[in-house]
Amino acid sequence: MPKTAIYPGTFDPITLGHFDIIERALDLFDEVIIAVATSEIKKPLFNTQQRVALVEAAIADMERVTVLPFDSLLVDFAKEHGSKIIVRGLRAVSDFEYELQLGYANQSLDPNIETVYLMPSLEHAFVSSSIIRNLLQFDGRLEHLVPQATLPLLKEFRCI
């Protein structure tokens, strides 16, 4: 039976750090579902359809990766898609406490859920979606921080 991992997030927008985690997850699992959270609480800059489109552009040449939006409990989404594995990225120690709490919360809801933490390569460890959003606000250079295929969409969606 193939091992399917769920990589959830808001991906507002997707960065090279996210992309790095997707590539690493593909080395470990047969299939990766990128679960784009609606996440109205976080008030994302891009709407759900735009974020899905950005992720789809980034992974267009990758096999064994699917992009799906979701607006439910992550454990329910995982169960619906036949997965017991959640992949999360850790960039720094500051991410660890929050991610650990999420992992424990998910496991309390479904004891069969396992969370796997992956670190992006050092060159992408500082990249976050919030940095990208700040750069977008001030027309900063993005080419070295986001997947190249997303640049036309970022321009279209943000009129940069």
Side-chain angles (χ1 to χ4, degrees), residues 6-64:
I6 308 290
Y7 180 29
T10 50
F11 303 99
D12 186 36
I14 187 169
T15 69
L16 286 178
H18 294 127
F19 191 80
D20 193 11
I21 297 297
I22 295 164
E23 290 180 317
R24 290 169 186 272
L26 282 171
D27 287 340
L28 300 171
F29 305 105
D30 300 313
E31 178 186 10
V32 175
I33 298 172
I34 303 170
V36 179
T38 301
S39 196
E40 293 302 323
I41 292 171
K42 284 190 170 183
K43 298 181 179 164
L45 178 62
F46 298 99
N47 67 41
T48 305
Q49 295 81 4
Q50 289 171 325
R51 289 182 283 125
V52 167
L54 287 162
V55 175
E56 286 175 338
I59 60 104
D61 295 332
M62 298 177 112
E63 295 180 9
R64 304 181 293 126

